[in-house]
Amino acid sequence: MKNVGEAPQEELATGERSTRNRVARSILDHGPSTVAELAGRLGLTQAAVRRHLDALVADDVVEAREQRVYGARTRGRPAKVFALTDCGRDAFDQSYDKLAADALRWIAEQQGGEQAIAAFARARIAAQSGAYRKAVESVPAEKRAEALARALTKDGYAATARSAPHPQQGEQLCQHHCPVAHVAEQFPQLCEAETEFFAELLGTHVQRLATIAHGDGVCTTFIPKTSHAPPTARAPKNTAHASASTAGRNPA
């Protein structure tokens, strides 16, 4: 006989699924996270978070990995973090990845190979650049990375900006989600064009440290602390090229 106040089994299952989705969504929005970070963001006990993570790992939605450390490494083992798998990202993606990849492959075959893909990637970024330029130009130089992160978030990239870890002097622009990650795996020109655009938009050399398309948990771009040129000024050609050359790679 059911105890007083006990929810029906269906309600319990629905509640579990809802909380589990919240855990996965938090990882999507904030990037690879520790149990403590998830518990703090979601208002759950660490034991409850571990239970939901165990289920998500069993379903191949998230995976455990060592926390990636940028800059000087401290003593002790890196904290364990949980990141979305490709399967987990697929649950959030609504894009027509195969159609897009097929279209780009056709462009490469019919219109001039990798150069045609690079031209398409730059044209795609240029078509989307208006909102990003408006966001960056409306704030002081020291707020530009943060403004760009907010604009990217509106386009589904779940982006944040934060101070880079010591001893680096600058900021890290982190995109915790990429709507075109599966296509960018096959066509890194998409990442390269985006990196070039960030350099131009922010008026400084930037360096892509990691990308989701290359298997990292988050796309991370380092923006050094430097005197900022006007956001409409185009970065020197060799600077943009050097910045883009790391797109799609893991940190050294």
Side-chain angles (χ1 to χ4, degrees):
M1 189 170 115
K2 184 175 69 176
N3 293 327
V4 175
E6 180 180 339
Q9 190 65 34
E10 293 80 6
E11 287 186 27
L12 288 174
T14 300
E16 289 283 291
R17 283 196 298 270
S18 176
T19 304
R20 204 159 291 163
N21 287 340
R22 287 175 58 212
V23 172
R25 181 74 207 194
S26 185
I27 295 172
L28 172 71
D29 288 341
H30 297 275
S33 304
T34 64
V35 170
E37 289 169 342
L38 288 164
R41 287 198 297 261
L42 298 172
L44 300 171
T45 65
Q46 292 193 25
V49 169
R50 288 192 183 94
R51 178 164 53 82
H52 290 298
L53 286 170
D54 286 344
L56 290 168
V57 169
D59 289 340
D60 193 30
V61 175
V62 303
E63 62 183 359
R65 58 173 67 164
E66 283 191 353
Q67 189 170 32
R68 188 179 295 278
V69 177
Y70 301 103
R73 184 183 291 274
T74 58
R75 289 186 175 184
R77 288 179 59 84
K80 181 187 291 186
V81 296
F82 292 86
L84 288 181
T85 63
D86 286 343
C87 179
R89 291 185 183 283
D90 286 342
F92 292 98
D93 287 338
Q94 299 297 322
S95 58
Y96 295 95
D97 290 342
K98 186 176 186 304
L99 176 62
D102 288 346
L104 288 177
R105 194 170 296 107
W106 185 90
I107 290 173
E109 293 172 354
Q110 302 294 324
Q111 304 297 325
E114 292 186 3
Q115 290 184 347
I117 299 298
F120 167 82
R122 293 191 185 99
R124 174 179 173 272
I125 290 290
Q128 299 173 336
S129 66
Y132 300 139
R133 291 190 188 282
K134 184 177 179 180
V136 168
E137 291 172 0
S138 65
V139 299
E142 65 273 14
K143 297 289 186 180
R144 286 177 187 161
E146 185 179 339
L148 178 56
R150 287 196 299 268
L152 287 165
T153 295
K154 290 181 180 179
D155 281 348
Y157 289 89
T160 58
R162 63 190 182 196
S163 296
H166 184 77
Q168 294 176 318
Q169 297 294 313
E171 296 175 276
Q172 283 185 351
L173 178 67
C174 299
Q175 295 156 262
H176 302 288
H177 182 54
C178 177
V180 297
H182 292 315
V183 181
E185 286 180 27
Q186 303 175 56
F187 300 98
Q189 293 91 338
L190 296 173
C191 297
E192 292 165 5
E194 182 180 77
T195 307
E196 288 178 1
F197 174 67
F198 289 167
E200 176 202 340
L201 185 64
L202 298 171
T204 185
H205 168 87
V206 303
Q207 183 181 10
R208 184 60 61 88
L209 301 177
T211 63
I212 293 170
H214 202 271
D216 297 297
V218 59
C219 295
T220 305
T221 304
F222 174 63
I223 305 168
K225 185 176 181 180
T226 183
S227 58
H228 290 265
T232 54
R234 183 173 294 275
K237 186 174 182 181
N238 61 343
T239 300
H241 177 75
S243 305
S245 67
T246 59
R249 298 184 187 174
N250 288 319

